Amino acid sequence: MNPTCKKRLGAIRLATMKVVAQEEIAPAIFELVLEGEMVEAMRAGQFLHLRVPDDAHLLRRPISISSIDKVKKQCHLIYRIEGAGTAIFSTLSQGDTLDVMGPQGNGFDLSDLDEQSQVLLVGGGIGVPPLLEVAKELHERGVKVVTVLGFATKNAVILETELAQYGQVFVTTDDGSYGIKGNVSVVIKDLDNQFDAVYSCGAPGMMKYINQTFYDHPRAYLSLESRMACGMGACYACVLKVPESETVSQRVCEDGPVFRTGTVVL
C-alpha cells in the first residue's frame, strides 16, 4: 500500500450509530434519524457511507446528510429505495444500529455570508435533502434564501414545508401536478436577484444546467451524486474529468461531492 493510501485510510472515521427514528415521507423515500458522537464533526453538504446490515451486500451506500443537530448529536438522512441495499435500510427501526463511515467529502463553503447576502438554492428530487442544512445555517446568519425545487410529480415533493421556514420556496413539477409546470429553469430564468452564492444538488441534467448557467459565477456550487465503491478516494470508481485536461481527474467521494461550477466536466 502506498503512503498516500495509508494516510487516507488512517483519517477515516468508523463508528456505530443508533437509529432514533425512521419514517416514509413520500413513496419509497425515507427519513432516517441517527445518533452518535460522529455528528459533532459533520458539515453541511457532506455524506455518510453506510454499511448494509447484511453480509450479502459488501459495498457501502453513500447517503447525504440532510440536517445536523450537534446538541442532540443527531443527524437526519433522506434516501430513496434504489435496490436491495437501501430496501434493507428501510426496515430499520428505533434502537437498531448501523456501521457508519464518515463524515465524508468536502461539504459546502458557507463562509463570509451574512445579512447583506442573497443566496439561491436549487434542488431536484432526492438531491433536495443536503440543501436543508444549508438553508438552516444561512437563515441563522440572516442571509436571504431563495429556494427552487424540481420534482417529477406531486407525489415526489419533499421538504417544501421545512425549507419554507428559511425563505421563499418555488416548486416545479415536470407534469404540472403541483406548483409550476416545467423544470427549475422556468423559475430561475425569471429571477432578478443578484445572488452572492448558489448551492445546488440534483439529477445530472439539472446539474448540467446549473453548471452552464452559473459557469463563471465566483460562488456557485454543485453537489454531485455518483456510484462509488470505497468512498474514500482509493478505488477511483467515481472520477470526473477536469476541463481542458486529459490527465487530471477529480473524485466525487474525496475531492467532492461539492465542486465549483466550471471545474469539472458533466
Side-chain angles (χ1 to χ4, degrees):
M1 183 181 296
N2 65 54
T4 301
C5 196
K6 286 182 180 179
K7 181 178 179 181
R8 186 180 300 121
L9 288 171
I12 291 299
R13 294 186 181 94
L14 291 171
T16 298
M17 299 189 73
K18 183 175 68 176
V19 176
V20 175
Q22 178 160 229
E23 67 171 318
E24 188 172 12
I25 61 173
I29 298 178
F30 289 78
E31 181 173 21
L32 176 65
V33 184
L34 298 179
E35 183 177 277
E37 298 295 328
M38 183 182 285
V39 175
E40 295 180 357
M42 294 178 184
R43 294 187 294 112
Q46 292 185 303
F47 67 95
L48 300 181
H49 218 201
L50 308 181
R51 182 182 181 278
V52 180
D54 183 322
D55 291 340
H57 298 82
L58 299 179
L59 296 181
R60 292 174 180 266
R61 288 352 186 230
I63 299 180
S64 299
I65 300 166
S66 177
S67 63
I68 303 165
D69 187 331
K70 295 191 177 183
V71 175
K72 293 183 178 179
K73 297 182 181 178
Q74 294 179 357
C75 66
H76 291 232
L77 311 178
I78 295 177
Y79 65 94
R80 179 171 54 210
I81 294 179
E82 300 282 4
T86 44
I88 291 173
F89 288 148
S90 72
T91 67
L92 298 173
S93 58
Q94 184 178 15
D96 289 336
T97 59
L98 275 174
D99 182 309
V100 179
M101 178 189 294
Q104 303 290 93
N106 55 13
F108 287 111
D109 177 10
L110 306 182
S111 62
D112 304 321
L113 295 168
D114 55 27
E115 63 275 3
Q116 303 299 317
S117 307
Q118 296 188 83
V119 166
L120 175 65
L121 307 183
V122 186
I126 204 63
V128 173
L131 299 178
L132 182 59
E133 181 65 24
V134 175
K136 181 183 75 174
E137 293 187 19
L138 292 178
H139 178 74
E140 289 172 351
R141 301 183 194 180
V143 176
K144 180 181 178 182
V145 178
V146 177
T147 302
V148 183
L149 306 177
F151 302 95
T153 187
K154 179 180 180 179
N155 291 337
V157 175
I158 57 172
L159 298 180
E160 177 190 8
T161 301
E162 290 82 352
L163 283 161
Q165 299 177 78
Y166 308 123
Q168 187 175 18
V169 176
F170 297 92
V171 177
T172 69
T173 52
D174 295 342
D175 61 5
S177 57
Y178 185 79
I180 302 165
K181 185 174 182 179
N183 57 41
V184 296
S185 67
V186 174
V187 175
I188 293 173
K189 67 181 178 62
D190 291 331
L191 292 176
D192 295 326
N193 309 59
Q194 294 297 313
F195 294 104
D196 297 286
V198 180
Y199 302 94
S200 64
C201 185
M206 179 183 289
M207 293 299 91
K208 287 182 180 180
Y209 165 74
I210 296 297
N211 192 47
Q212 293 169 356
T213 304
F214 299 98
Y215 194 88
D216 295 319
H217 193 291
R219 293 199 63 175
Y221 302 92
L222 313 163
S223 178
L224 303 179
E225 300 174 350
S226 176
R227 291 188 177 276
M228 56 185 69
C230 74
M232 55 188 179
C235 68
Y236 282 76
C238 57
V239 296
L240 295 170
K241 291 183 178 180
V242 173
E244 301 179 3
S245 174
E246 294 297 325
T247 59
V248 179
S249 62
Q250 295 281 283
R251 300 154 297 178
V252 174
C253 67
E254 182 78 359
D255 304 307
V258 177
F259 298 93
R260 283 266 309 275
T261 53
T263 63
V264 291
V265 177
L266 301 181

